[in-house]
Amino acid sequence: MRTGTVVCGRWNRNVYRIEGVAGRGATATVYAARGPAGRVALKVADDEACVLVEADMLRNLEARGVLPGPFLRDVDEADIDGRSVLFLALDWVDGIPLHRFPAGRRPAVAAAVLTQVLDGLERLHAAGFVFGDLKPANVLVVPGSLPRAVMIDFGGVTPRGRCVRAHSELYDRAAWGAGGRVAEPAYDLFAAALTFLAAVIGEAPLAAALARPQPVVALCDIIRADSRLAPYRRVLEPAFHGRWASATAMGRALAAASGAGAEDAAAWDRLTVGLMGACAAAAGWLLLVSAAWWERL
Amino acid sequence: MREMVLEQILLVTDGCSNVGGDPVEAAAEARQQGIVVNVIGILHGQALGEQGRREAERIAAAGGGVCQFVQPERLSHTVQAVTRQAMTRTLHAVVREELQTLLAEGSVADLAPEQRARLAASVETWAEASHLRVFLLLDTSASMAPLVSTVRRAVRDFFLSLAARSGPSEVAVGAFPGVEGALDLLVDWTTDGSAARLALERPPTGLTPTAPALRATLAHFRSWRILGEAGGFVALPPASKVSADRPPNGGLLRDYVF
Ligand SMILES: Nc1ncnc2c1ncn2[C@@H]1O[C@H](COP(=O)(O)OP(=O)(O)OP(=O)(O)O)[C@@H](O)[C@H]1O
């Protein structure tokens, strides 16, 4: 669908004007669109059964009050190119996917995002669900003095104990040989740890580690080799081994590590300020000396 | 009442059959025996031409299954998606029949999207708890040789997903053409294939005997059925995987009819 296309819902009679493509996934294409109540993300289904189940899940989570948003505003069908297609209208989130958010490469910022993700996971887990398809592309960051993290794509949300509905290989603990694909909190916590790591160091080193014969060992080696990640080792490694009992427990360890990380950063900053001061003093002194020398000539 | 078992053949190929008769007829025979035939056509090089595409679509249509064409890197995802789609499609058909006998008129398509969403969720719950039996039928003719590692990964990944289902599942894997016959059985019916070795490297041949391979697969299904009944045991995998609180199918049906 091109910009300007108008989509009319057959059942609820809402009209949406397409403003652009927001993203393309495995089960649907998401458009930015303007509807009767403002901007929405219009999720147009390729795999109808899959998107219908996602809609049902969103309604279910909303009713239980575990969904912080984006909310599902409309489910309808429309004729597009002579074909009847199913679509969802979700609140538009004006954010940047974590993997394209430049500040996310700073461990302290990625940790702030992870904290919020863990909060969201805890609420979901407490209600008996697992998020499933957690990865940087499904975490939008709304920039600000305190960046806000919003999880999108609830197509992977699965009742506990079943097979996870949707996964992405790089963030799937089963692919890493670190557990099964059964929906349980530890499944999400593994993906959460990897999401943090991918935000800081990028996906390429992770893909390289996944190709190794003992991928989780390779992963731990990456963390040990990077001094910026040192404070977070005690948060990430237990997640890779499925040892956190809950998102809250992991969150507490993260808070402690972020405190330590911030102190490290502060110490580092003091050091830089000190060094820069010393340099400036030395330069000034040199200038003075050379000026005096010129005078003498 | 016997528990419902969803039986599927998943044919993974990159070309057209060229020996041994019409695979579309073989797929129709499978369907008559209650076995759904799905097809994944892998797109790489020139292997799958217009003719190959048409044949793949016709096999799936005759076999009552799903047909998808994918790039090699999407294979893992597609194996799972196609299996799931075929399961829900079969169960939706059961629901439709059930509805037809309950309501004189009206069909699922007349339901509003919000109601269909509830129906889809119920069917998915049902599918997840159902007994699933899948035969992966892999084309290993010469043109598939460069894809061996891709196919192996996709099969492994499929095993991982099946192991996580709450319902019982069995898989078998066959490769064709066989070294001697139409089909070589690589993995016999198993509930956990994660440790199985997949000998996909095979002597190169340009032959693609899809129809005989499909028939050999059907024979393998039959031998299992006969064995299961004559041997007096119910063909069920470990009880631990069958969740105790699984709702009876009737209960699920009732959920959305009323
Ligand atoms: N509410 C939203 N607000 C803004 N952008 C969104 C929203 N929902 C989705 N998007 C954009 O659309 C893209 C695809 O959406 P989504 O992940 O929901 O689709 P999907 O088909 O489920 O994809 P996947 O293959 O990841 O499962 C996202 O990466 C994001 O960039």
Side-chain angles (χ1 to χ4, degrees):
Chain A
M1 281 194 290
R2 270 187 276 136
T3 305
T5 306
V6 173
V7 176
C8 306
R10 186 181 315 139
W11 295 81
N12 304 328
R13 302 257 154 235
N14 289 317
V15 176
Y16 301 90
R17 182 177 291 276
I18 301 294
E19 296 183 330
V21 180
R24 195 173 295 269
T27 61
T29 304
V30 178
Y31 296 90
R34 188 150 308 267
R39 203 140 192 239
V40 292
L42 211 66
K43 190 163 187 170
V44 180
D46 295 321
D47 186 334
E48 193 175 289
C50 245
V51 175
L52 276 173
V53 176
E54 180 180 350
D56 185 69
M57 180 55 74
L58 284 163
R59 287 280 183 249
N60 192 350
L61 296 176
E62 203 179 315
R64 289 161 192 254
V66 274
L67 190 69
F71 293 108
L72 178 60
R73 299 301 175 183
D74 195 6
V75 188
D76 210 334
E77 290 164 313
D79 284 317
I80 298 170
D81 295 332
R83 224 164 42 89
S84 174
V85 291
L86 176 89
F87 68 84
L88 316 184
L90 296 142
D91 288 329
W92 179 259
V93 180
D94 211 4
I96 304 163
L98 181 56
H99 62 297
R100 287 199 260 119
F101 182 62
R105 301 198 73 102
R106 284 177 27 219
V109 175
V113 169
L114 179 60
T115 305
Q116 297 174 56
V117 167
L118 289 173
D119 279 347
L121 290 180
E122 180 57 43
R123 300 209 312 188
L124 215 51
H125 295 168
F129 299 98
V130 163
F131 187 76
D133 198 8
L134 182 57
K135 56 181 174 181
N138 283 342
V139 178
L140 296 190
V141 185
V142 184
S145 53
L146 278 174
R148 198 163 59 85
V150 182
M151 294 200 272
I152 56 163
D153 191 3
F154 287 72
V157 177
T158 311
R160 237 171 127 145
R162 291 211 217 155
C163 179
V164 171
R165 287 194 73 227
H167 65 270
S168 303
E169 192 189 18
L170 196 53
Y171 301 88
D172 168 43
R173 71 168 184 186
W176 288 85
R181 210 166 269 158
V182 180
E184 56 187 30
Y187 185 90
D188 278 344
L189 301 183
F190 182 93
L194 271 184
T195 297
F196 169 87
L197 206 53
V200 176
I201 65 171
E203 284 190 340
L206 300 186
L210 182 55
R212 299 275 295 278
Q214 287 200 302
V216 174
V217 175
L219 203 57
C220 294
D221 289 344
I222 291 179
I223 298 174
R224 283 185 202 151
D226 190 332
S227 63
R228 293 178 307 156
L229 296 171
Y232 302 102
R233 240 180 80 184
R234 276 166 298 148
V235 183
L236 303 179
E237 288 191 0
F240 296 147
H241 295 106
R243 283 205 282 268
W244 288 122
S246 68
T248 310
M250 185 169 162
R252 265 200 297 274
L254 179 63
S258 300
E263 265 161 41
D264 277 1
W268 183 247
D269 282 351
R270 277 198 300 279
L271 194 69
T272 12
V273 168
L275 273 173
M276 271 165 60
C279 283
W285 186 78
L286 256 163
L287 218 68
L288 274 174
V289 170
S290 53
W293 197 61
W294 276 108
E295 290 280 274
R296 266 206 4 223
L297 281 179
Chain B
M1 199 182 95
R2 255 193 83 142
E3 186 193 11
M4 191 159 130
V5 184
L6 300 172
E7 294 184 312
Q8 303 182 355
I9 295 170
L10 175 54
L11 169 65
V12 179
T13 181
D14 70 340
C16 207
S17 71
N18 53 17
V19 58
D22 186 1
V24 178
E25 280 169 22
E29 286 162 28
R31 189 184 194 174
Q32 272 164 10
Q33 297 175 26
I35 300 167
V36 166
V37 183
N38 301 312
V39 186
I40 296 180
I42 305 186
L43 304 164
H44 74 120
Q46 298 301 312
L48 192 84
E50 189 51 41
Q51 204 189 348
R53 270 181 177 262
R54 249 203 316 276
E55 184 183 83
E57 275 163 356
R58 288 179 55 225
I59 293 173
V66 177
C67 177
Q68 275 196 23
F69 301 102
V70 286
Q71 303 293 332
E73 57 276 14
R74 298 291 300 159
L75 184 62
S76 294
H77 177 268
T78 309
V79 167
Q80 287 160 53
V82 161
T83 306
R84 185 184 42 72
Q85 280 172 18
M87 286 176 83
T88 45
R89 197 188 271 194
T90 305
L91 296 178
H92 266 292
V94 174
V95 170
R96 260 199 304 278
E97 237 168 70
E98 201 83 8
L99 280 175
Q100 224 100 62
T101 55
L102 283 166
L103 321 163
E105 275 160 71
S107 72
V108 177
D110 296 334
L111 293 176
E114 299 265 0
Q115 289 164 303
R116 276 175 52 215
R118 289 203 46 212
L119 178 69
S122 298
V123 167
E124 195 181 85
T125 304
W126 185 11
E128 163 91 9
S130 300
H131 192 148
L132 173 68
R133 193 173 294 150
V134 185
F135 193 104
L136 287 177
L137 182 57
L138 310 174
D139 173 355
T140 48
S141 58
S143 59
M144 286 289 283
L147 297 178
V148 160
S149 66
T150 308
V151 171
R152 181 175 285 127
R153 269 174 65 177
V155 174
R156 290 257 157 78
D157 204 59
F158 189 52
F159 284 146
L160 288 173
S161 277
L162 291 183
R165 289 181 76 239
S166 33
S169 20
E170 287 112 33
V171 213
V173 186
F176 73 101
V179 175
E180 272 159 22
L183 174 78
D184 280 351
L185 190 64
L186 302 185
V187 181
D188 203 354
W189 297 115
T190 175
T191 52
D192 178 15
S194 54
R197 246 186 49 76
L198 287 171
L200 293 173
E201 291 85 359
R202 340 215 7 111
T205 163
L207 297 181
T208 311
T210 313
L214 276 170
R215 292 213 170 86
T217 305
L218 285 184
H220 199 64
F221 265 101
R222 271 199 301 275
S223 69
W224 167 274
R225 286 178 178 174
I226 291 162
L227 209 76
E229 277 148 25
F233 64 88
V234 189
L236 281 180
S240 64
K241 281 186 67 191
V242 186
S243 68
D245 57 357
R246 179 143 49 104
N249 299 340
L252 282 166
L253 277 174
R254 214 175 313 118
D255 276 348
Y256 41 78
V257 173
F258 301 108

